[in-house]
Amino acid sequence: MKTFDYSLNYEDLNLRKHPELYAIGRGEQGVLTVEPYKSEILPFWRFKNEEIAKESSKKIFDLFLEYLNNDDFVGADMARKFLQMGYTRAKRYANYKGGKKYEGPVPDDKKGQSGAHGREEKERGTGDPEKEKASKIFKAKWDEARNHPEYKRQKERFIVKFK
């Protein structure tokens, strides 16, 4: 499977018209860059509390189904990534006060990279319990999306076609 290509100019690139340039990548890669999907899905992505997470995840899942029905695998995969990101971000806020896992700023030479970079990890379990409820809602929708039979079929076809 191709790795996600961060060198492409996603702001000016319409991946609905050029799906051959899309790489599934790992996890949530590209979720906040790939257009036109970012602009279509991001306005609905919220996880402040349980009620908002239910509404948000339902709307994003509805978009996921719409993309599948339109045979738009890239859109479906992006919606799946937003559901995954709803889970991971809500979980981060559930585990750590303010959603920050590490103490202090990221050193300039490490910006854009993941990991601690020598910073101390904050105490786990100090976060918002409401975010834990939101994370469970997103996790259920994310699981439903990634296990959806039509999603799996389209994903396999996409991989074969564009590998």
Side-chain angles (χ1 to χ4, degrees):
M1 194 175 345
K2 292 191 301 186
T3 58
F4 193 82
D5 186 354
Y6 284 100
S7 71
L8 296 175
N9 181 2
Y10 290 102
E11 279 191 35
D12 296 330
L13 184 61
N14 182 330
L15 286 181
R16 183 173 283 126
K17 293 180 181 176
H18 297 283
E20 72 279 3
L21 296 176
Y22 181 71
I24 297 167
R26 294 183 56 200
E28 303 160 18
Q29 288 182 323
V31 73
L32 294 174
T33 58
V34 174
E35 291 291 2
Y37 308 104
K38 176 188 107 173
S39 294
E40 294 171 359
I41 303 167
L42 184 60
F44 304 107
W45 183 70
R46 303 284 180 265
F47 58 91
K48 183 177 182 176
N49 58 42
E50 185 176 17
E51 189 63 34
I52 289 171
K54 281 180 187 175
E55 185 179 315
S56 174
S57 64
K58 181 189 181 317
K59 176 59 180 170
I60 294 170
F61 191 79
D62 288 346
L63 288 170
F64 168 82
L65 294 175
E66 186 178 318
Y67 293 131
L68 287 180
N69 287 336
N70 291 329
D71 206 27
D72 183 351
F73 172 74
V74 177
D77 197 51
M78 291 301 296
R80 188 242 347 133
K81 288 181 179 192
F82 269 94
L83 292 169
Q84 181 178 356
M85 188 170 68
Y87 164 69
T88 59
R89 295 308 184 277
K91 195 71 170 166
R92 174 72 60 91
Y93 279 87
N95 289 335
Y96 302 99
K97 185 176 175 76
K100 302 223 184 278
K101 186 174 180 177
Y102 301 105
E103 294 287 348
V106 176
D108 285 339
D109 64 331
K110 302 293 184 183
K111 288 196 188 299
Q113 300 175 18
S114 60
H117 306 299
R119 297 174 296 153
E120 188 175 320
E121 188 170 323
K122 286 184 165 185
E123 181 183 351
R124 191 179 176 104
T126 57
D128 182 351
E130 192 63 32
K131 299 294 189 293
E132 181 64 31
K133 295 174 188 172
S135 75
K136 289 178 180 176
I137 290 163
F138 272 99
K139 176 73 163 77
K141 285 295 185 191
W142 172 37
D143 288 344
E144 190 176 350
R146 67 185 173 160
N147 293 314
H148 193 285
E150 180 60 16
Y151 171 77
K152 288 180 173 182
R153 187 186 70 73
Q154 287 188 27
K155 180 179 180 181
E156 183 58 36
R157 191 177 70 204
F158 182 87
I159 290 169
V160 169
K161 186 175 182 179
F162 296 120
K163 62 179 168 179

